[in-house]
Amino acid sequence: MRAALYGTDGDGYGDSDALGFYRRPEGPAGHFRTSVHASPLFAAAVARLLCRVDEALGRPGTLDFVDMAAGRGELVTEVLAALPADVAARTRAYAVEIAGRPEGLAPRITWLSEPPPQVTGLLFANEWLDNVPVEVAEVDPEGVPRLVLVRDDGIERLGGPLSGAEAEWLARWWPLPAEEGLRAEIGLPRDLVWAAAVSCVARGLAVAVDYGHTADARPPFGTLTGFREGRETAPVPDGSCDITAHVALDACAAAGAGAGAGAHASGPAPLLTQRAALRALGVTGARPSLALAGTDPAAYVRALAGAGEAAELTAPGGLGDFAWLLRPVGIANPLPREPA
């Protein structure tokens, strides 16, 4: 999975000339649509969240915005454009991505392969953790969880029993009944990278946005899948498609609190649906008044289009079901808990 997503020429999988999926020139937007691509309302909401963090920090001379898994820099570019002028002038922007810097990106955006070591502001990870490679476990006929091994053409077989830290993670966070065929994705690598990212935040807020699940509702057969050119496909690890799995967000939350961030983190790490988070940031999807159509038809059409985009971002069964994992550090949580 790591080679298929992030590998370089000569990594020894599939076509020897292939690049990992996330190193391809077209970028993720060439294959699937995230909230960032769905509407500029998403970036505007993130900009408002950054302004709330700025207020909580007392308007520091330099305010950091870190866009994790930045793709081709779409989110960080739109956030900078949506900020009030006084906040934008103080904002130091980072895009963190394993692929090379895209042409035409604003010079003020610093392009990095890992987050800066000290952040005062907002670290925002939209659909990052689901692409952090994981191992898959499956219960064999004797009721023993074993690693799932896979060839580059997607053919699978069971390997050895789990052991060590992976077995401990599975027992704590995703215990599998002794029923043949049940599966789990072992989220330990996601816990580790999230804890490391949160530990970079000296003061401010870290947010991870992803499809996820918690211990009370683990999917019995896992969620591993692939995407290519906008369609779901088999997760064949040959570099031709995205390979993704939903995130055990409760495990990530515990790791963020207990590994590096715990000494200076403030309060619990709440989980909100994207629907609740965006509504708290002013994205409601309310339709404009019909009276506006009579007084300003162009404004009515714009408002109606915006309402449609907001509805997509907050829709049940779609983007609205993404979870926002919040980790405030040295500040109060700027997004209060609200019903979905």
Side-chain angles (χ1 to χ4, degrees):
M1 183 173 177
R2 184 175 303 280
L5 292 178
Y6 306 113
T8 57
D9 292 347
D11 273 343
Y13 66 95
D15 183 345
S16 61
D17 295 325
L19 285 173
F21 179 82
Y22 279 95
R23 293 187 184 272
R24 292 184 164 205
E26 70 271 20
H31 293 269
F32 54 86
R33 193 163 179 252
T34 70
S35 298
V36 178
H37 308 120
S39 171
L41 293 175
F42 186 79
V46 176
R48 287 192 286 274
L49 179 58
L50 179 58
C51 289
R52 290 191 186 185
V53 172
D54 183 44
E55 290 282 351
L57 291 169
R59 300 183 181 229
T62 300
L63 176 68
D64 295 322
F65 176 66
V66 181
D67 179 11
M68 297 293 297
R72 296 302 177 264
E74 298 96 335
L75 178 62
V76 64
T77 298
E78 292 182 16
V79 167
L80 287 173
L83 289 172
D86 63 314
V87 180
R90 291 183 287 109
T91 297
R92 182 168 53 187
Y94 298 93
V96 181
E97 179 58 69
I98 195 167
R101 183 185 183 98
E103 293 183 7
L105 191 71
R108 67 171 297 186
I109 299 171
T110 301
W111 193 265
L112 301 172
S113 59
E114 52 189 50
Q118 186 160 325
V119 175
T120 300
L122 174 61
L123 181 147
F124 198 86
N126 185 59
E127 296 196 48
W128 171 45
L129 293 176
D130 67 303
N131 287 125
V132 173
V134 292
E135 301 284 6
V136 177
E138 181 177 319
V139 179
D140 72 6
E142 284 72 47
V144 177
R146 294 179 177 270
L147 283 175
V148 175
L149 307 181
V150 60
R151 302 189 322 200
D152 58 20
D153 62 1
I155 300 298
E156 296 179 352
R157 67 176 178 85
L158 294 186
L162 292 175
S163 62
E166 292 177 336
E168 293 172 7
W169 188 94
L170 193 69
R172 178 182 179 187
W173 292 109
W174 198 333
L176 287 171
E179 180 180 334
E180 183 180 3
L182 295 183
R183 281 194 170 200
E185 289 108 21
I186 302 169
L188 179 60
R190 282 119 180 239
D191 298 354
L192 295 175
V193 298
W194 177 242
V198 172
S199 70
C200 295
V201 180
R203 290 182 68 221
L205 178 69
V207 181
V209 181
D210 247 309
Y211 278 129
H213 44 72
T214 53
D216 58 344
R218 302 287 191 220
F221 301 103
T223 61
L224 189 76
T225 191
F227 285 93
R228 182 189 296 113
E229 298 178 352
R231 296 184 178 184
E232 191 167 6
T233 186
V236 178
D238 61 359
S240 69
C241 66
D242 184 27
I243 299 175
T244 179
H246 294 189
V247 182
L249 286 165
D250 46 354
C252 287
H264 58 285
S266 300
L271 281 169
L272 296 176
T273 64
Q274 175 155 295
R275 186 162 50 257
L278 290 183
R279 285 175 178 170
L281 292 167
V283 181
T284 65
R287 293 174 63 89
S289 168
L290 282 174
L292 182 62
T295 59
D296 191 341
Y300 177 78
V301 171
R302 290 194 298 271
L304 193 62
E309 292 174 3
E312 181 182 3
L313 289 172
T314 59
L319 295 175
D321 288 346
F322 271 88
W324 285 40
L325 170 61
L326 310 172
R327 171 49 62 184
V329 181
I331 64 171
N333 176 23
L335 270 182
R337 294 175 184 268
E338 290 190 1

